[in-house]
């Protein structure tokens, strides 16, 4: 969608290939994860990439990417891509004993030893964070 196409294949075809590959990758979990090829192709055909706007397309691409990563238990990659793109649009919750009540974590705080092993640079880095060394502070590139 951003013109970085490879091999003369359209963004829609890359999207379709990625969705199909994501669904087919579930087979690594054994027979229970195998999705019939006809079902994969039917899903792909019924959910083509919406190229009416870059925003719509990027939303679809990143939501499918998130779903694939979550399905494959690659939660850290799903979280990292969500922070980068803002998709899917998640709703924060508050749960008992939650470490970031009402907010989805934006970063992982520094290790506790960092402040004693590297106090000057730790203080400088933390001063640049919006809420200090917390799960909810945004790093410099996090604008979503």
């Amino acid at each position: 969608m951003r013109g970085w196409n490879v091999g003369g294949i359209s963004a829609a075809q890359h999207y379709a290939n990625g969705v199909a590959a994501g669904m087919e990758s579930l087979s690594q979990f054994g027979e229970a994860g195998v999705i019939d090829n006809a079902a994969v192709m039917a899903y792909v055909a019924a959910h083509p990439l919406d190229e009416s706007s870059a925003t719509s397309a990027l939303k679809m691409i990143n939501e499918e990417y998130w779903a694939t990563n979550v399905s494959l238990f690659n939660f850290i990659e799903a979280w990292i891509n969500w922070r980068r793109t803002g998709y899917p649009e998640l709703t924060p919750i508050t749960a008992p004993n939650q470490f970031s009540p009402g907010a989805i974590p934006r970063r992982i705080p520094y290790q506790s030893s960092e402040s004693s092993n590297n106090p000057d640079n730790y203080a400088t880095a933390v001063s640049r964070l919006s809420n200090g060394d917390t799960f909810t502070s945004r790093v410099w590139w996090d604008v979503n």
Side-chain angles (χ1 to χ4, degrees):
M1 286 309 301
R2 293 183 172 153
W4 304 338
N5 232 340
V6 178
I9 300 172
S10 69
Q13 187 59 54
H14 279 297
Y15 174 79
N17 293 346
V19 171
M23 293 175 76
E24 291 164 357
S25 68
L26 295 173
S27 66
Q28 68 184 296
F29 297 116
E31 237 178 273
V34 175
I35 302 172
D36 178 69
N37 189 53
V40 170
M41 293 301 114
Y43 180 87
V44 170
H47 300 89
L49 183 64
D50 177 2
E51 296 181 274
S52 63
S53 74
T55 302
S56 298
L58 291 172
K59 180 179 187 287
M60 288 182 71
I61 290 165
N62 285 290
E63 286 175 346
E64 287 289 347
Y65 184 68
W66 184 85
T68 297
N69 279 301
V70 168
S71 298
L72 297 175
F73 303 102
N74 192 354
F75 303 119
I76 192 78
E77 181 61 27
W79 176 63
I80 289 168
N81 194 62
W82 167 80
R83 289 185 314 158
R84 185 178 64 79
T85 66
Y87 297 115
E89 294 174 10
L90 302 175
T91 302
I93 62 164
T94 299
N97 303 317
Q98 186 173 334
F99 56 85
S100 62
I104 299 170
R106 305 304 298 195
R107 62 181 288 277
I108 298 171
Y110 292 110
Q111 292 182 350
S112 58
S113 62
E114 194 65 34
S115 61
S116 58
N117 291 337
N118 190 6
D120 295 338
N121 288 322
Y122 172 79
T124 300
V126 169
S127 73
R128 294 178 181 161
L129 296 170
S130 58
N131 295 320
D133 190 13
T134 65
F135 285 97
T136 56
S137 290
R138 292 175 182 252
V139 293
W140 63 273
W141 55 263
D142 186 4
V143 295
N144 286 322

